[in-house]
Amino acid sequence: MTCIASISTSQTLSRQVSKTDYLKRMKAVNWTKKLAEDAFIDPVKELQSYVATPILSDNEKLFTPSDEAVKEGEGVFQSVKLIKSVASLDKLPDENVPEVAVIGKSNVGKSSLLQALFSSTPNIVKTGKKPGQTQTLNFFDVDGKFRLVDVPGFGYNMPANYHELVEGYLTSRKNLCRTLCLKSGSTRYPVDKLGKDMISEMGIPYVIVLTKIDRFSPHLLLKTFLETKQTYIQTGGNCFPQLFVVSSLTGAGIPFLQTFIAHITGNLKSPMFTVQEKELAKESPSIFAVY
Ligand SMILES: Nc1nc2c(ncn2[C@@H]2O[C@H](COP(=O)(O)OP(=O)(O)OP(=O)(O)O)[C@@H](O)[C@H]2O)c(=O)[nH]1
């Protein structure tokens, strides 16, 4: 995996873990190398191993890429450039490639997640311990194929024009194909009410990503996972019915999310739709749209 090397050289993450540590931990619970690798790609598999009942129904397991598709997805992220940082809506770049925005509370790990997705381009994203480091919309071009957009967080130290800039961008951007809405894996905040209300009011299609999963025990994480699912997915709305979980520190879950982004921006050759997804897409096309 390419992502680990640059994460372990990152100055910003406070604790250094690595894929090797992750695999060692899995070996300690008697996982084979293949199972451990699978859980690294999609950590939900690890969570499932702690309980006998399925934590996902078929309708919540729509995105299940093959090993080849994951390789293809990771490969899409090789060439990344910061093209523009924008503080007002009249300065936005053109709309001719699909965009995926990353939103969430201040300090939830948006910039770190982008850096982990862009691990083949070290130090391209600024991250910080203090909440409110990101003050502009930052547009990152991925190989000329699509863009990821780092969005200022809500909660602490928001830019003065936050509502105009962020809500204006999210609700009016024609090439915005999906929004990744980040939420901490911590059980201390089972519902991010502000974020949920904001995104529901805007009515845009989004995907929930639980962050910083390396900080929590599998049992706590499982509790957050189930509560989050109940809050965001089982209550309907514009949320993609599958939760993603990541650690930008270990890289766990990053290849899976890279593959999903490659898929929704129309950059995966491998066909990806399950029968369930096709059925659900008939009712809510925007949640399942592929650019
Ligand atoms: N352990 C751990 N720490 C993380 C992870 N992701 C981010 N962090 C830490 O969380 C803090 C905030 O990370 P950022 O990526 O700057 O958060 P942000 O959401 O972009 O913050 P704002 O600019 O305030 O909106 C930093 O100290 C990161 O090192 C993770 O996966 N694991």
Side-chain angles (χ1 to χ4, degrees):
M1 300 287 157
T2 48
C3 45
I4 294 308
S6 60
I7 289 169
S8 56
T9 59
S10 160
Q11 312 271 303
T12 52
L13 291 171
S14 48
R15 212 153 38 91
Q16 301 294 310
V17 187
S18 69
K19 183 181 173 189
T20 320
D21 294 334
Y22 185 91
L23 295 181
K24 266 192 211 148
R25 178 155 66 83
M26 292 295 109
K27 214 173 155 208
V29 286
N30 285 333
W31 280 40
T32 65
K33 187 153 187 308
K34 169 78 180 126
L35 274 177
E37 289 274 0
D38 282 355
F40 177 77
I41 288 172
D42 176 11
V44 174
K45 293 203 170 119
E46 184 189 343
L47 290 183
Q48 180 62 74
S49 72
Y50 291 93
V51 277
T53 46
I55 59 173
L56 294 174
S57 70
D58 284 349
N59 283 354
E60 295 162 347
K61 237 188 324 197
L62 303 168
F63 186 71
T64 50
S66 62
D67 291 352
E68 290 70 41
V70 173
K71 269 203 196 99
E72 200 188 334
E74 286 182 283
V76 169
F77 284 77
Q78 294 308 306
S79 163
V80 180
K81 276 188 285 202
L82 172 63
I83 52 164
K84 213 167 184 187
S85 292
V86 167
S88 66
L89 289 183
D90 56 338
K91 302 276 187 317
L92 292 174
D94 60 54
E95 295 178 306
N96 54 11
V97 290
E99 284 171 0
V100 175
V102 180
I103 69 164
K105 262 191 183 160
S106 325
N107 232 29
V108 72
K110 298 175 293 297
S111 306
S112 303
L113 173 63
L114 285 169
Q115 182 59 68
L117 293 166
F118 303 155
S119 58
S120 56
T121 316
N123 303 322
I124 191 168
V125 191
K126 266 197 210 148
T127 60
K129 283 200 170 126
K130 278 198 196 145
Q133 168 92 19
T134 314
Q135 291 283 308
T136 48
L137 296 170
N138 300 325
F139 291 81
F140 294 90
D141 171 275
V142 183
D143 203 21
K145 295 184 170 111
F146 60 92
R147 297 182 196 133
L148 282 172
V149 187
D150 196 3
V151 174
F154 52 82
Y156 301 95
N157 196 17
M158 293 150 77
N161 64 344
Y162 182 88
H163 291 287
E164 185 198 327
L165 179 70
V166 174
E167 294 185 19
Y169 167 75
L170 293 172
T171 51
S172 67
R173 193 75 170 158
K174 292 195 187 68
N175 56 335
L176 181 65
C177 72
R178 211 63 52 89
T179 298
L180 306 182
C181 183
L182 271 48
K183 200 192 150 296
S184 164
S186 163
T187 38
R188 264 198 296 160
Y189 315 104
V191 181
D192 168 5
K193 191 167 173 344
L194 191 57
K196 188 170 188 302
D197 290 351
M198 188 175 103
I199 201 148
S200 308
E201 269 169 34
M202 287 190 286
I204 53 172
Y206 66 98
V207 178
I208 293 283
V209 181
L210 288 185
T211 61
K212 307 190 188 182
I213 61 167
D214 57 277
R215 286 194 176 171
F216 312 107
S217 72
H219 294 96
L220 280 184
L221 192 58
L222 188 59
K223 188 167 179 283
T224 312
F225 182 89
L226 296 172
E227 280 173 0
T228 307
K229 207 165 72 109
Q230 201 172 25
T231 310
Y232 290 84
I233 293 177
Q234 290 164 352
T235 51
N238 282 338
C239 187
F240 184 72
Q242 181 168 344
L243 273 186
F244 289 78
V245 297
V246 294
S247 163
S248 301
L249 186 59
T250 63
I254 297 297
F256 199 71
L257 191 57
Q258 284 174 320
T259 312
F260 182 71
I261 295 169
H263 166 58
I264 55 175
T265 55
N267 286 293
L268 263 201
K269 285 187 213 94
S270 328
M272 219 28 83
F273 288 109
T274 58
V275 176
Q276 285 93 347
E277 189 167 4
K278 278 191 194 142
E279 283 305 307
L280 292 168
K282 283 184 200 156
E283 288 160 34
S284 323
S286 64
I287 299 176
F288 299 94
V290 168
Y291 206 84

